[in-house]
Amino acid sequence: MCIFCKIVAGELPSNKEAENEHFLAFHDLYPKAPMHLLIIPKAHIECFQEIDAHTMAGLTEFIQEVARRMGLDKSGYRLITNNGEDGGQEVKHLHFHLLGGGKLKWEHLHDESHKNM
Ligand code: DGP
């Protein structure tokens, strides 16, 4: 079982922010912005390339709802998914990074500058 499947199953702890029957949003262990959530399908789907359009439609609605709930829908946010080896995907369970809570620069992807925001 992958680590995100273990989080879904409750076998690993996580700081959950929102969930429904199919999807889960929880805080990234190593935040790259004042607000950094990971949003996943509960079912194991390896990466974006593998998700079907129907599930993606549900995931889209869930992400938009989470953004509203976090108060990011008007101020803006960044949504990222790393796909596969060259995309830098470390955890092989599809996840979207939802980053916000301040004006983001590209540098926020790889340094500690969000800590000064
Ligand atoms: P990626 O490189 O796109 O596969 O991003 C994986 C992200 O998952 C990375 O930002 C760190 C985060 N992460 C890894 N292990 C855990 C964990 O056990 N719990 C939580 N909350 N986040 C994790």
Side-chain angles (χ1 to χ4, degrees):
M1 205 188 276
C2 81
I3 56 170
F4 288 177
C5 282
K6 285 183 179 167
I7 285 174
V8 170
E11 291 176 17
L12 278 179
S14 70
N15 188 359
K16 292 182 186 177
E17 197 56 59
E19 70 180 308
N20 65 20
E21 188 187 348
H22 300 294
F23 308 111
L24 172 65
F26 56 100
H27 289 265
D28 196 293
L29 214 47
Y30 310 107
K32 298 279 195 297
M35 174 98 54
H36 185 170
L37 296 180
L38 299 173
I39 305 183
I40 67 170
K42 289 185 173 177
H44 184 85
I45 298 171
E46 184 163 318
C47 62
F48 179 75
Q49 195 61 29
E50 301 295 326
I51 194 170
D52 65 86
H54 175 73
T55 308
M56 192 60 214
L59 183 51
T60 298
E61 284 186 358
F62 183 73
I63 292 169
Q64 291 168 342
E65 174 56 32
V66 170
R68 274 192 292 277
R69 180 194 288 227
M70 304 308 287
L72 301 175
D73 55 317
K74 299 285 191 294
S75 55
Y77 55 85
R78 183 172 292 162
L79 190 64
I80 296 171
T81 188
N82 297 324
N83 189 93
E85 207 56 40
D86 284 0
Q89 183 180 2
E90 287 171 11
V91 179
K92 302 293 190 283
H93 181 132
L94 171 63
H95 51 283
F96 282 85
H97 298 258
L98 178 66
L99 302 124
K103 203 156 185 64
L104 300 173
K105 299 174 183 165
W106 283 112
E107 291 73 32
H108 290 130
L109 296 177
H110 51 74
D111 71 9
E112 303 283 301
S113 55
H114 69 279
K115 292 182 176 162
N116 303 319
M117 289 174 84

